[in-house]
């Protein structure tokens, strides 16, 4: 139980929930102290020191870390001693060189790549602060080289979370140094590194899919222990999806988090048990896209935007933009929430609400697009690829407004997880096979009509409706399908996005489980609320769309906020009319959004859906399924 609370604390820290992390650490400290587990108690103290640093309590953090390092030294716990010493190098700038030397000796003795990586990361920071950017670049490149190949294989969740966060920090730090130094090809190198950082998690997901063997449809149903946990989690999600009393909701949240941790450990063990995996396809080169691309990378309070076109790379630093973007997004989120008050309220006040939303969308345009507008105006292409990072995944780029028009009126936008060599070309061939899934109830009564219309436009599609829409049937039907349409309830888990889920007939099915589907080359449409949301603070910004891409999908159409069922049904009808005529998904969705905007002024109605396309990796042949 104490180790579970420690794991929870690491997850809370990664998600920015510092108060909740502090509570979990207090509970972990009490439980481990009761059983006399001094070694793991020391790990708690190191984590408490890190949390104190994040909360701005530097002196307190130094005191805790110093005590933790001394206790670990006396106990012979060299790994904990190393982490505590490295933390002191972060906290004590005046004594950083001495702490780094002490940590270097420990790292040499232990020969653990994770610790060597952490040392090189801090050495790079120290050299940068000391006025040695060249030495900083060398140390940070060493750190990144050390990180390749490990991290995804770690079974212990708390260690894995910490490692993934550290890996993201090294990429961020090196991107920042290169942009600041701006020598020669530094902008191109920074762009490549930023893209590599974004690709790493998706690469790990794909590697995990490749590593697991056996029948995809039956694998987890054969495991009674895992299946039982999934049934319990599904029941908990059902309770959370309803409007329940606050105290009961809190208990259900705790229950969900406990079950998620247990399932995560079981799945990680099974991945590890499958044995090591050799090198996967190479990571994207980061500058090979032939489609005009805006690639963003958040570095502390700043945002770096790379403009990539025809092999050229230009970089702009948006100083202090992160906090301003956060505030504009909060204003936009407040707009979406107002539509939950009721349809009559929204209808009566739609014009006034639209004006307020427009103001937030103009602010976001001014912050993240206006600084590179002159570069975009030089491009005649109507296609635009956007590669977001962290919180920027929440931006509806197609709905940003330049003061005269929405970007949807100027560009056909595709969101991709990485630049690579550009997005895959995905066009449905005449008569392409489809799979249509429908799970409706009183809360989503229009789903049946929506799916009937989609099925009409896809003659011969396999329709899984009602009780037939199970995860086993879905897994059996999707191999070889050019298009998969799923209309049902969706649930976004901000604290643990790998457990965001869709409600099928038999149970809630999580993001992690969808990785086991064989979706090679398919276009997936998720007509479910918040199916496009991702974690934006953690080191692993995954969500349902990323899971489907990792399972082989060529692209996914997903929603970024709670959707209006009636408007969604009309939008999907317009979308599929274009798709079956051979229109590429991004263009078809753009046209469907434009049609919806003619009927509904507020972007809440016409803008929730976005197209996320799979990137083509360096040296990877494009799989044009159905084209």
């Amino acid at each position: 139980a104490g180790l579970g609370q420690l794991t929870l604390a690491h997850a809370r820290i990664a998600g920015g929930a510092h108060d909740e992390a502090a509570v979990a650490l207090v509970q972990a400290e009490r439980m481990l102290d009761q059983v006399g587990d001094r070694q793991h108690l020391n790990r708690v103290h190191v984590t408490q020191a890190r949390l104190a640093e994040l909360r701005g309590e530097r002196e307190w953090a130094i005191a805790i870390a110093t005590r933790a390092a001394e206790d670990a030294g006396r106990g012979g716990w060299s790994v904990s001693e190393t982490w505590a010493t490295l933390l002191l190098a972060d906290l004590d700038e005046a004594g950083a060189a001495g702490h780094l030397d002490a940590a270097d000796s420990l790292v040499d003795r232990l020969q653990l790549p994770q610790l060597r990586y952490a040392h090189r990361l801090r050495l790079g920071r120290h050299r940068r602060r000391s006025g040695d950017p060249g030495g900083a670049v060398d140390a940070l490149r060493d750190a990144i080289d050390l990180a390749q190949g490990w991290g995804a294989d770690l079974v212990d969740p708390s260690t894995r979370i910490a490692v993934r966060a550290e890996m993201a920090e090294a990429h961020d730090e090196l991107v920042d140094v290169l942009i600041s130094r701006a020598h020669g090809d530094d902008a191109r190198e920074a762009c490549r590194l930023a893209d590599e950082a974004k690709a790493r998690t998706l690469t790990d997901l794909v590697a995990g899919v490749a590593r697991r063997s056996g029948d995809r449809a039956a694998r987890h149903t054969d495991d009674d222990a895992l299946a039982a946990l999934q049934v319990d989690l599904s029941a908990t999600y059902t309770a959370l999806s309803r409007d329940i009393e606050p105290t009961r909701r809190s208990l259900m949240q705790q229950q969900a988090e406990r079950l998620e941790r247990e399932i995560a450990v079981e799945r990680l063990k099974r991945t590890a048990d499958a044995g090591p995996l050799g090198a996967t396809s190479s990571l994207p080169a980061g500058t090979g896209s032939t489609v005009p691309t805006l690639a963003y990378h958040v570095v502390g309070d700043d945002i770096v935007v790379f403009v990539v076109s025809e092999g050229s790379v230009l970089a702009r630093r948006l100083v202090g933009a992160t906090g301003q973007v956060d505030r504009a997004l909060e204003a936009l989120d407040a707009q979406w929430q107002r539509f939950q008050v009721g349809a009559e309220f929204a209808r009566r006040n739609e014009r006034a609400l639209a004006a307020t939303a427009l103001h937030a969308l103009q602010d976001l345009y001014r912050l993240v697009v206006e600084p590179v507008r002159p570069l975009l105006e030089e491009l005649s292409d109507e296609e635009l690829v956007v590669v977001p990072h962290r919180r920027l995944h929440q931006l509806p780029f197609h709905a940003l407004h330049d003061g005269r028009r929405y970007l949807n009126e100027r560009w056909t936008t595709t969101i991709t997880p990485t630049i690579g060599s550009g997005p895959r070309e995905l066009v449905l061939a005449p008569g392409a096979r489809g799979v249509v899934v429908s799970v409706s109830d009183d809360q989503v009564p229009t789903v049946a009509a929506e799916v009937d219309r989609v099925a009409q436009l896809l003659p011969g599609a396999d329709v899984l409706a009602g009780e037939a829409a199970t995860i086993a049937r879905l897994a059996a039907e999707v191999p070889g399908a050019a298009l998969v349409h799923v209309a049902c309830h969706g649930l976004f888990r901000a604290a643990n996005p790998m457990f965001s889920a869709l409600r099928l007939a038999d149970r809630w099915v999580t993001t992690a489980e969808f990785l086991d589907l064989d979706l090679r080359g398919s276009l997936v449409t998720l007509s479910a609320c918040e199916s496009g949301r991702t974690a934006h603070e953690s080191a692993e910004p995954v969500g349902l769309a990323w899971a489907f891409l990792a399972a082989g999908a060529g692209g996914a159409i997903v929603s970024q906020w709670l959707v209006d069922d009636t408007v969604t049904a009309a939008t999907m009808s317009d979308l599929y009319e274009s798709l079956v005529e051979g229109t590429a998904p991004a263009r078809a969705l753009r046209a469907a959004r434009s049609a919806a905007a003619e009927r509904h002024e507020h972007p809440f109605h016409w803008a929730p859906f976005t197209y996320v396309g799979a990137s083509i990796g360096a040296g990877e042949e494009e799989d044009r399924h159905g084209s």
Side-chain angles (χ1 to χ4, degrees), residues 214-237:
D215 180 66
R216 290 172 181 258
R219 181 180 305 118
H220 293 300
T221 57
D222 289 339
D223 190 317
D224 293 339
L226 189 57
L229 287 170
Q230 289 168 340
V231 169
D232 288 347
L233 184 63
S234 180
T236 305
Y237 283 173

Side-chain angles (χ1 to χ4, degrees), residues 583-605:
T583 306
R587 287 184 174 273
L589 182 58
R590 179 187 179 189
R593 285 193 297 241
S594 296
E598 292 179 2
R599 298 186 292 264
H600 303 279
E601 180 180 3
H602 201 293
F604 169 83
H605 293 297

Side-chain angles (χ1 to χ4, degrees), residues 182-477:
H183 291 170
D185 287 336
D186 279 353
R188 180 182 295 273
E189 176 68 1
C191 182
R192 185 192 68 79
L193 286 163
D195 211 47
E196 180 182 288
K198 298 181 184 77
R200 175 53 56 189
T201 294
L202 193 55
T203 300
D204 288 347
L205 291 177
V206 174
V209 172
R211 188 178 323 208
R212 295 189 293 269
S213 60
D215 180 66
R216 290 172 181 258
R219 181 180 305 118
H220 293 300
T221 57
D222 289 339
D223 190 317
D224 293 339
L226 189 57
L229 287 170
Q230 289 168 340
V231 169
D232 288 347
L233 184 63
S234 180
T236 305
Y237 283 173
T238 297
L240 285 173
S241 68
R242 296 169 178 162
D243 185 16
I244 58 178
E245 186 267 332
T247 300
R248 177 169 166 73
R249 172 170 290 277
S250 177
L251 292 173
M252 289 295 99
Q253 287 279 13
Q254 294 176 36
Q255 170 84 344
E257 290 164 358
R258 179 184 64 78
L259 291 167
E260 287 167 356
R261 288 196 302 274
E262 292 181 21
I263 291 173
V265 170
E266 290 301 316
R267 290 183 64 88
L268 283 167
K269 285 179 179 177
R270 283 154 179 74
T271 300
D273 290 343
L277 183 74
T280 57
S281 60
S282 58
L283 291 171
T287 58
S289 178
T290 57
V291 181
T293 300
L294 293 181
Y296 294 88
H297 201 81
V298 177
V299 181
D301 295 332
D302 301 343
I303 297 172
V304 175
V305 54
F306 299 97
V307 183
V308 183
S309 179
E310 299 295 338
S312 69
V313 180
L314 296 172
R316 294 286 185 274
R317 181 188 290 273
L318 312 180
V319 178
T322 302
Q324 297 177 69
V325 167
D326 284 347
R327 288 188 289 275
L329 277 173
E330 287 171 2
L332 199 59
D333 287 342
Q335 276 292 305
W336 308 150
Q337 291 170 14
R338 291 185 183 183
F339 280 82
Q340 298 179 39
V341 174
E344 180 57 34
F345 170 83
R347 210 168 18 248
R348 190 170 60 250
N349 298 282
E350 182 163 358
R351 178 151 296 184
L353 293 172
T356 305
L358 185 64
H359 180 72
L361 292 166
Q362 288 174 334
D363 279 348
L364 288 168
Y365 175 88
R366 173 181 57 80
L367 290 166
V368 302
V369 179
E370 175 65 28
V372 295
R373 179 182 55 80
L375 300 175
L376 292 176
E377 287 180 346
E378 297 175 5
L379 306 175
S380 59
D381 202 308
E382 289 190 4
E383 305 285 334
L384 181 67
V385 172
V386 179
V387 183
H389 187 226
R390 296 191 184 275
R391 186 65 182 267
L392 299 183
H393 280 282
Q394 301 299 102
L395 267 69
F397 281 92
H398 54 275
L400 301 189
H401 198 280
D402 66 5
R404 294 179 295 114
R405 58 183 175 177
Y406 293 102
L407 290 196
N408 192 64
E409 300 174 68
R410 167 65 179 89
W411 300 95
T412 298
T413 55
T414 297
I415 304 298
T416 61
T418 66
I419 301 173
S421 298
R424 297 178 184 275
E425 181 180 323
L426 191 63
V427 178
L428 296 183
R433 188 172 76 86
V435 175
V436 181
V437 179
S438 167
V439 182
S440 62
D441 59 26
D442 292 341
Q443 293 179 298
V444 283
T446 63
V447 161
E450 172 192 326
V451 167
D452 285 346
R453 177 57 177 158
V454 172
Q456 289 173 13
L457 293 167
L458 296 170
D462 297 314
V463 179
L464 307 179
E467 294 182 359
T470 65
I471 181 56
R473 285 290 306 277
L474 178 64
E477 296 293 340

